[in-house]
Amino acid sequence: MTIHHDKLAYGRLAKTSEEMTDSQIQDMLKNLSAGDEKYILAIDQGTTSTRAIIFDKRGNIVSRAQQEFRQIYPEPGWVEHSPQDIMGSTVAVTGEALVRAGLSAQDISAIGITNQRETTLVWDRKTGKPVYNAIVWQCRRTAGFCETLKREGFSEKIYNKTGLVPDAYFSATKIKWVLDNVEGARARAERGELVFGTVDTYLLWQLSKGTIFATDYTNASRTMLFNIHTLKWDDELLRLFDIPKSMLPEVHPSSYLYGCTDARLFGSPIPVCGVVGDQQAALFGQLCTNKGEVKNTYGTGCFLLMNTGNKAVKSQHGLITTLGATAEGKPCYVLEGSVFVGGAVVQWLRDEMKIISSSDDSEAQALKVKDSGGVYVVPAFTGLGAPYWNAAARGTITGITRGTSREHIIRASLEGIAYEVCDLVEAMEKDAGIKITRLAVDGGACKNNFLMQFQSDVLNCTAVRPKVAETTALGAAYLAGLNAGCWSGLDEIKENFEVEKTFTPDMSEGGRIKLLSGWREAVKKATV
Ligand code: ADP
């Protein structure tokens, strides 16, 4: 252990990523040697930033590094990322996290990768060179084609095979767009020269210098090309989207030895033993490993996921059915509902309305009033997601009186997030036939105690916030560490799991019903 104390001191001297060049990081990495204790490194390649977090065997964070990267908006509604930024930020934060912890690559038992889902890359099989930027999940460029698919009656077939609704969100139409619009791409793809990957696949390929071409079940289930019942790429869908099968990666379990990073990157090879899409990673990181367990992430949007075990539950209420991560070979099934604007309404209060000074300030302001004074804020800035799926809906404030103050608007905005989640929970309860009594919470906005208490009140359900809030990275670390033998099994991990705060419902049934019916009226006004 002594060697680690020395190394940690060295780590504390480390500068931030903005101050360190790649070659400085490489030099520092070379000077570090392996210690006795092993660690797990999670790479969380998200939509706006890339993070690397090193965990010890107790699930504690040893060090972390984060880099934001460019969002590219070539046209209204289009969103792209540079593949170089994705890979460059990944290598930089990984190196920096090692240096900050004073650890070398040999101290790391395993890497777990978690990633923004659906984002699509196409690159050359020989050179690794992308033919186009990464088309981000948020990008709406293929919305017209998805409308055509719906009109032509493909929704049911697609849902029955993939659990998804035809939407520009998922990868399939993005791949088709690249093949149809990038000069020469289709002919090259047909000659077997091009490959497709979501971000996990691209990182695996790049980190292994082209020796790993794979994805996991959770990421595959977001492409709209993967049959979640047979667990195979679907030939009929590949024909529908006109995508050559030779472009597709192998699909493996989320907890699996994918191969090793190239020795030149971090000083020595590190095994990659986990790959998982971000929301499924958070579900696993929250240890929702049993049927009926549910988590909600309060980030920019909100993502509610329920583990439904070995049964794919068909949604009658606008949710999607997808694959979840397990520590075993076979994935589990998950019901998922998402809303587009969650914590983003708080950014709007700060940046556009300028009525709060910081996101954190929203809590103190909301608590200055005893209720929202009859005001409802429906944060439908970009339409409403599940369970309404109304693209034409817009943000709406109702119930304003002469006495309405900025604090009422702030409070009503936070309450709006909680109501959106109530709608998701209600849809999920109906689909799964289960009453949800415990909600595991995470994401940036879950730090807001007012929001969490209000959520617990209007849902009449306990909300549980874990001590390690980085559940996405933690989930990837657990999956990788389990495969690498860092833990004997889930029971050992569960022993280390610590709750930071539990919110229990404290509202009368009558009060709850009244508030929820007011919300329903407000939603109606947002959708006319
Ligand atoms: P993402 O991963 O989607 O980028 P994060 O999980 O980092 O999002 O959460 C960021 C979101 O959380 C932002 O929209 C921000 O406004 C919101 N947020 C952060 N802190 C608070 C807070 N104390 N109260 C309410 N919302 C918050």
Side-chain angles (χ1 to χ4, degrees):
M1 272 321 280
T2 340
I3 188 163
H4 279 282
H5 287 299
D6 293 341
K7 285 201 240 161
L8 283 166
Y10 185 49
R12 275 197 293 274
L13 293 175
K15 303 172 194 168
T16 65
S17 56
E18 292 89 71
E19 293 165 325
M20 286 173 78
T21 63
D22 284 355
S23 65
Q24 278 174 319
I25 291 176
Q26 290 298 330
D27 286 347
M28 283 188 166
L29 287 173
K30 272 187 225 137
N31 292 328
L32 297 167
S33 59
D36 310 329
E37 191 175 346
K38 291 284 184 182
Y39 299 84
I40 303 118
L41 189 148
I43 295 173
D44 179 0
Q45 205 301 303
T47 310
T48 54
S49 74
T50 307
R51 290 176 232 203
I53 303 185
I54 298 179
F55 293 94
D56 66 16
K57 279 192 62 175
R58 287 158 299 284
N60 298 316
I61 293 177
V62 177
S63 79
R64 69 172 104 204
Q66 178 166 2
Q67 255 187 27
E68 288 197 8
F69 56 86
R70 251 181 332 147
Q71 305 294 310
I72 304 167
Y73 305 108
E75 287 188 29
W78 292 29
V79 192
E80 298 177 1
H81 291 156
S82 147
Q84 287 78 15
D85 288 352
I86 289 176
M87 182 54 191
S89 61
T90 299
V91 174
V93 293
T94 302
E96 189 186 333
L98 285 168
V99 168
R100 279 175 176 274
L103 298 173
S104 79
Q106 291 163 48
D107 295 309
I108 305 297
S109 300
I111 289 181
I113 296 176
T114 179
N115 56 290
Q116 51 168 320
R117 305 174 301 173
E118 299 101 10
T119 297
T120 297
L121 294 111
V122 176
W123 65 95
D124 186 292
R125 190 187 290 279
K126 279 218 178 75
T127 64
K129 202 168 168 253
V131 301
Y132 192 78
N133 273 341
I135 303 184
V136 178
W137 57 272
Q138 295 155 320
C139 186
R140 305 304 301 166
R141 78 185 65 195
T142 55
F145 178 58
C146 292
E147 284 310 312
T148 311
L149 286 173
K150 282 191 215 161
R151 252 197 329 273
E152 291 179 359
F154 285 102
S155 300
E156 202 180 333
K157 182 175 283 282
I158 291 176
Y159 182 77
N160 286 341
K161 285 172 183 271
T162 67
L164 309 175
V165 289
D167 193 273
Y169 186 9
F170 306 107
S171 315
T173 60
K174 298 180 196 288
I175 309 172
K176 179 172 161 52
W177 188 93
V178 171
L179 298 185
D180 290 342
N181 291 278
V182 174
E183 208 186 322
R186 181 162 294 285
R188 287 171 70 194
E190 270 155 18
R191 288 199 299 270
E193 292 168 19
L194 299 185
V195 293
F196 148 76
T198 38
V199 167
D200 54 310
T201 306
Y202 184 68
L203 288 179
L204 281 170
W205 177 287
Q206 293 289 337
L207 290 170
S208 68
K209 299 275 181 223
T211 60
I212 310 174
F213 182 43
T215 189
D216 84 305
Y217 288 124
T218 65
N219 276 294
S221 72
R222 316 297 297 187
T223 58
M224 215 155 75
L225 297 171
F226 195 69
N227 187 316
I228 60 170
H229 307 287
T230 62
L231 302 182
K232 293 202 163 39
W233 296 116
D234 190 275
D235 291 322
E236 196 182 358
L237 292 176
L238 285 165
R239 275 195 300 278
L240 176 66
F241 293 106
D242 214 0
I243 297 169
K245 199 172 190 175
S246 60
M247 293 184 77
L248 303 177
E250 287 175 15
V251 189
H252 297 300
S254 301
S255 187
Y256 176 84
L257 175 58
Y258 283 80
C260 286
T261 61
D262 187 86
R264 284 162 290 182
L265 282 171
F266 307 116
S268 48
I270 310 176
V272 181
C273 299
V275 171
V276 58
D278 55 9
Q279 295 308 321
Q280 287 95 330
L283 188 69
F284 199 83
Q286 289 272 20
L287 296 175
C288 296
T289 52
N290 296 311
K291 189 174 159 186
E293 291 176 335
V294 190
K295 73 89 197 173
N296 188 57
T297 299
Y298 300 81
T300 309
C302 289
F303 291 88
L304 184 76
L305 272 75
M306 176 191 277
N307 184 334
T308 62
N310 55 17
K311 185 163 171 263
V313 174
K314 249 186 144 175
S315 178
Q316 308 291 334
H317 301 93
L319 306 180
I320 56 179
T321 311
T322 198
L323 294 175
T326 66
E328 297 93 42
K330 259 192 132 191
C332 62
Y333 289 95
V334 165
L335 262 179
E336 173 174 327
S338 50
V339 296
F340 307 131
V341 177
V345 73
V346 179
Q347 286 165 304
W348 171 76
L349 294 175
R350 185 193 62 197
D351 302 339
E352 271 70 38
M353 293 298 101
K354 302 193 194 316
I355 56 175
I356 52 172
S357 55
S358 65
S359 298
D360 290 349
D361 183 34
S362 63
E363 181 173 343
Q365 299 303 326
L367 287 168
K368 283 188 183 161
V369 285
K370 69 175 195 332
D371 55 34
S372 73
V375 175
Y376 286 88
V377 173
V378 185
F381 300 150
T382 52
L384 281 168
Y388 304 101
W389 294 111
N390 186 327
R394 283 297 170 265
T396 303
I397 305 180
T398 68
I400 300 174
T401 64
R402 178 66 185 80
T404 298
S405 66
R406 82 194 240 281
E407 289 81 11
H408 287 122
I409 304 279
I410 295 164
R411 184 168 174 128
S413 299
L414 291 172
E415 291 181 358
I417 303 174
Y419 291 128
E420 289 182 305
V421 175
C422 283
D423 290 338
L424 293 179
V425 167
E426 195 187 323
M428 203 165 264
E429 288 182 334
K430 284 186 190 150
D431 278 339
I434 298 174
K435 165 81 186 124
I436 296 170
T437 52
R438 180 190 188 272
L439 183 68
V441 298
D442 53 47
C446 94
K447 333 193 258 275
N448 190 311
N449 290 324
F450 163 73
L451 173 59
M452 290 304 106
Q453 184 57 51
F454 188 77
Q455 184 72 87
S456 166
D457 289 345
V458 284
L459 272 180
N460 193 20
C461 160
T462 305
V464 181
R465 189 165 66 194
K467 189 166 152 230
V468 176
E470 297 277 5
T471 50
T472 306
L474 190 59
Y478 284 159
L479 288 160
L482 281 166
N483 181 266
C486 299
W487 295 287
S488 54
L490 274 171
D491 289 344
E492 192 185 342
I493 290 179
K494 284 183 180 171
E495 273 170 29
N496 291 328
F497 190 84
E498 283 181 66
V499 169
E500 188 258 326
K501 196 167 163 62
T502 300
F503 299 86
T504 44
D506 182 22
M507 187 182 274
S508 71
E509 188 64 5
R512 211 167 70 78
I513 290 169
K514 191 161 166 246
L515 287 177
L516 285 169
S517 74
W519 165 253
R520 283 188 197 108
E521 287 307 310
V523 168
K524 273 191 211 148
K525 289 174 189 151
T527 51
V528 285

